[in-house]
């Protein structure tokens, strides 16, 4: 059973935190954490693929509205959502997961979550940065920027998990 | 037909994905053409309102710096006010006021949103068409050039920062008026590149780069930055010059929007003379 209310609130929190906090922060000139993809990462396992794609599209569009990049985040987020089921399948081919599980460190373990989010966030960032630059002449620079930002985003996402999503397990 | 339906059913996820991506790409393409696209989204009253509220709160954190800056500017203004000058005998000379026709009008505005770490950066400022701001006006801060207005709504305007793929500012060296152009290579918000300076020109580190005034947007002699690194690639006729920008894009909060009151006339004349 999916808790819809919680996810709708998380949707808006992700957009506003991205726009008001993370768009204002930059480490060392060009490191850009795109925290909002957190929402796409943590949607429950049994979310229907259609819902997954469409909410991701809306999420990207929401961020776009504020950052003057109309369509870019939407395209990257949709691509990420499209890849998500494939990555989950690839990573958990031997492992079963229960219906109520979310792809979190709490439920899946650190190593699983790290590879899962690393692949997806990297895909998202590469797509986003290449759409933004829109030319291949700065190929290595763009790749470098995408890679560095991926690490920043991952760091923030993993910290968020330990801060806000870890309580239940201890009981 | 049944086969087609079966195909659709089998790959519906992929098709839905394609549909959404096509929508996104259409949005990007329409928007990338930044001159024609009215930047509805950036200058939209909703996002502007959210940013205004947020800036209203965060502004308190920089009150101290703002005050310091204000006192500094106040002192500068005091320096040029009539009281600061020795009044000479007015009978001995005469000033013909019609010699000075006003060309540039400055409007102060506050930056309510900005980015500096993207490849293409924009700022949003809290003055719009209601206050007379229009497209193609220049924006400067108190220590240098900032960007060009590319979209306006009623109360907000969107400014293409100097830190943008498409920005190209006509510039010159202060010491010998050698003309060049300043572009941004996308790495570091503190540095930009000065192009088109031929290799016979004498150039040193620390030379001042200012606007040329040939663009109809910025007045001449506005500070852009200072030369930081000069290289002459073998076999090239032009220098590779890195300049340190005088505007610190990471801290600016206020700026002045410059209206060129004669821009229309200049553009009209240029159109007449280049068409044939």
């Amino acid at each position: 059973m999916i808790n819809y209310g919680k996810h709708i609130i998380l949707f808006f929190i992700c957009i506003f935190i991205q726009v008001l906090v993370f768009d204002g922060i930059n480490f060392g000139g060009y490191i850009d954490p795109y925290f909002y993809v957190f929402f796409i990462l943590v949607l429950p396992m049994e979310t229907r693929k259609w819902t997954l794609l469409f909410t991701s599209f809306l999420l990207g569009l929401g961020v776009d509205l504020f950052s003057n990049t109309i369509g870019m985040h939407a395209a990257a987020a949709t691509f990420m959502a499209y890849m998500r089921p494939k990555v989950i399948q690839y990573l958990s081919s031997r492992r079963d997961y229960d219906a109520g599980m979310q792809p979190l460190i709490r439920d899946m373990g650190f190593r699983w979550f790290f590879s899962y989010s690393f692949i997806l966030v990297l895909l998202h960032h590469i797509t986003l940065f290449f759409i933004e630059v829109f030319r291949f002449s700065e190929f290595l620079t763009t790749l470098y920027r995408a890679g560095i930002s991926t690490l920043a985003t991952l760091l923030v996402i993993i910290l968020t998990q330990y801060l806000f999503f870890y309580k239940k397990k201890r009981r | 037909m049944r086969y087609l339906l079966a195909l659709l059913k089998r790959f519906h996820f992929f098709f839905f994905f394609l549909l959404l991506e096509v929508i996104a790409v259409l949005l990007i393409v329409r928007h990338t053409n930044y001159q024609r696209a009215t930047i509805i989204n950036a200058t939209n009253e909703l996002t502007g309102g959210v940013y205004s509220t947020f800036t209203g709160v965060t502004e308190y954190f920089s009150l101290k710096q703002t005050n310091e800056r204000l006192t500094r500017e106040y002192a500068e203004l005091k320096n040029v006010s009539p009281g600061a000058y020795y009044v000479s005998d007015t009978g001995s000379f005469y000033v013909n006021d019609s010699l000075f026709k006003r060309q540039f009008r400055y409007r102060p505005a506050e930056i309510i949103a900005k980015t500096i770490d993207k490849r293409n950066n924009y700022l949003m400022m809290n003055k719009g068409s209601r206050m007379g701001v229009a497209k193609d006006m220049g924006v400067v801060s108190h220590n240098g050039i900032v960007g060009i207005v590319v979209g306006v709504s009623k109360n907000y305007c969107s400014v293409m920062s100097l830190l943008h793929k498409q920005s190209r500012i006509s510039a010159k060296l202060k010491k010998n008026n050698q003309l060049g152009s300043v572009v941004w290579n996308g790495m570091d918000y503190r540095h930009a590149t000065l192009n088109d300076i031929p290799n016979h020109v004498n150039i040193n580190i620390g030379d001042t780069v200012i606007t040329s005034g040939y663009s109809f947007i910025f007045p001449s002699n506005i500070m852009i930055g200072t030369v930081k690194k000069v290289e002459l690639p073998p076999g090239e006729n032009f220098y590779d010059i890195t300049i340190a920008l005088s505007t610190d894009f990471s801290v600016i909060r206020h700026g002045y929007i410059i209206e060129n009151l004669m821009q229309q006339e200049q553009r009209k004349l240029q159109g007449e003379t280049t068409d044939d």
Side-chain angles (χ1 to χ4, degrees):
Chain A
M1 181 66 209
I2 302 175
N3 186 346
Y4 288 101
K6 202 178 95 185
H7 284 99
I8 291 173
I9 294 172
L10 186 65
F11 179 86
F12 287 106
I13 289 181
C14 277
I15 292 185
F16 281 103
I17 289 199
Q18 175 63 39
V19 170
L20 295 179
V21 182
F22 286 105
D23 277 356
I25 297 178
N26 76 308
F27 307 106
Y30 42 87
I31 304 173
D32 246 337
Y34 288 106
F35 169 76
Y36 73 95
V37 296
F38 184 69
F39 176 79
I40 306 174
L41 286 178
V42 304
L43 279 175
M45 292 288 195
E46 72 266 30
T47 313
R48 304 184 65 168
K49 290 173 167 185
W50 289 76
T51 326
L52 182 68
L53 272 186
F54 195 60
T55 44
S56 305
F57 179 76
L58 288 183
L59 180 78
L61 210 59
V63 175
D64 276 331
L65 275 182
F66 283 93
S67 51
N68 199 7
T69 53
I70 197 73
M72 287 185 199
H73 288 287
T78 313
F79 178 65
M80 180 177 164
Y82 176 72
M83 296 306 286
R84 195 186 106 138
K86 295 182 194 308
V87 174
I88 291 183
Q89 208 180 28
Y90 170 73
L91 285 174
S92 14
S93 49
R94 303 245 171 78
R95 188 201 289 256
D96 290 332
Y97 44 83
D98 301 330
M101 275 186 158
Q102 265 180 285
L104 292 172
I105 295 180
R106 187 186 73 209
D107 294 354
M108 306 301 292
F110 181 82
R111 279 185 60 184
W112 187 91
F113 182 82
F114 185 80
S115 21
Y116 163 74
S117 54
F118 180 75
I119 298 172
L120 284 178
V121 172
L122 188 66
L123 285 175
H124 171 270
H125 280 32
I126 288 179
T127 323
L128 180 69
F129 279 66
F130 274 103
I131 294 174
E132 191 192 2
V133 177
F134 224 77
R135 55 164 87 143
F136 278 100
S137 65
E138 299 168 9
F139 185 80
L140 285 177
T141 321
T142 311
L143 212 57
Y144 172 69
R145 287 175 39 159
I148 294 276
S149 293
T150 301
L151 295 182
T153 308
L154 274 184
L155 183 74
V156 176
I157 283 175
I158 288 172
L159 283 181
T160 313
Q161 297 238 332
Y162 281 113
L163 285 176
F164 298 106
F165 287 85
Y166 216 68
K167 283 170 203 146
K168 272 185 202 164
K169 193 162 186 182
R170 284 184 201 146
R171 255 171 282 185
Chain B
M1 189 65 202
R2 230 174 63 205
Y3 180 69
L4 192 71
L5 279 178
L7 193 76
L8 264 176
K9 207 176 161 196
R10 177 121 189 265
F11 292 108
H12 67 278
F13 180 53
F14 181 67
F15 284 123
F16 188 52
F17 163 68
L18 274 190
L19 177 75
L20 289 179
E21 286 291 356
V22 167
I23 295 175
V25 169
L26 283 181
L27 285 172
I28 297 173
V29 172
R30 264 180 56 116
H31 189 68
T32 309
N33 204 341
Y34 76 108
Q35 285 289 4
R36 239 178 300 156
T38 49
I39 303 187
I40 305 165
N41 313 286
T43 50
N44 164 315
E45 296 292 315
L46 170 85
T47 55
V50 172
Y51 278 130
S52 284
T53 317
F54 190 68
T55 316
V57 176
T58 54
E59 237 182 353
Y60 286 100
F61 300 120
S62 62
L63 271 185
K64 189 159 171 271
Q65 285 96 316
T66 309
N67 270 331
E68 275 167 13
R69 195 180 49 76
L70 279 179
T71 42
R72 215 168 37 240
E73 273 177 25
Y74 180 67
E76 279 166 20
L77 283 178
K78 272 290 204 191
N79 282 335
V80 295
S81 71
Y85 285 93
Y86 168 73
V87 182
S88 66
D89 183 10
T90 43
S92 61
F93 61 92
Y94 134 87
V95 177
N96 187 352
D97 258 346
S98 66
L99 276 177
F100 297 95
K101 194 161 189 306
R102 187 169 187 192
Q103 195 189 349
F104 293 99
R105 176 185 290 156
Y106 289 70
R107 288 187 180 83
E110 198 180 320
I111 294 163
I112 54 170
K114 71 176 172 199
T115 59
I116 55 172
D117 44 12
K118 311 261 183 321
R119 181 63 181 93
N120 297 319
N121 294 291
Y122 291 90
L123 305 99
M124 197 192 289
M125 302 182 87
N126 66 353
K127 289 272 150 54
S129 57
R130 231 193 216 167
M131 300 78 170
V133 175
K135 244 177 172 174
D136 284 343
M137 289 184 181
V139 178
V140 295
S141 71
H142 59 280
N143 49 14
I145 196 164
V146 174
I148 295 167
V149 176
V150 289
V152 284
S153 69
K154 246 202 249 160
N155 294 307
Y156 302 99
C157 68
S158 160
V159 177
M160 180 177 87
S161 160
L162 172 62
L163 313 177
H164 194 289
K165 192 166 66 183
Q166 270 152 332
S167 92
R168 185 175 195 89
I169 308 285
S170 176
K172 65 181 178 188
L173 291 173
K174 193 178 181 186
K175 64 174 183 186
N176 55 13
N177 287 340
Q178 178 64 46
L179 207 63
S181 58
V182 172
V183 294
W184 188 58
N185 60 7
M187 278 307 274
D188 184 349
Y189 67 88
R190 283 164 305 189
H191 297 116
T193 313
L194 176 62
N195 289 337
D196 306 340
I197 302 286
N199 59 7
H200 62 80
V201 176
N202 172 25
I203 186 163
N204 297 313
I205 287 170
D207 284 352
T208 308
V209 181
I210 54 180
T211 55
S212 68
Y214 295 163
S215 66
F216 310 159
I217 292 176
F218 292 103
S220 53
N221 302 335
I222 288 184
M223 183 76 176
I224 298 178
T226 51
V227 173
K228 196 173 178 203
K229 208 169 77 187
V230 183
E231 274 170 19
L232 185 60
E236 289 283 329
N237 293 325
F238 296 97
Y239 284 116
D240 248 2
I241 303 172
T242 305
I243 62 173
L245 296 169
S246 59
T247 308
D248 188 347
F249 282 88
S250 66
V251 299
I252 43 169
R253 273 181 170 273
H254 299 267
Y256 302 92
I257 300 172
I258 307 177
E259 178 180 3
N260 181 353
L261 299 168
M262 296 173 188
Q263 195 182 53
Q264 226 174 6
E265 189 184 326
Q266 289 169 331
R267 280 203 194 286
K268 197 169 154 247
L269 182 64
Q270 190 193 35
E272 279 171 11
T273 48
T274 50
D275 273 354
D276 40 40

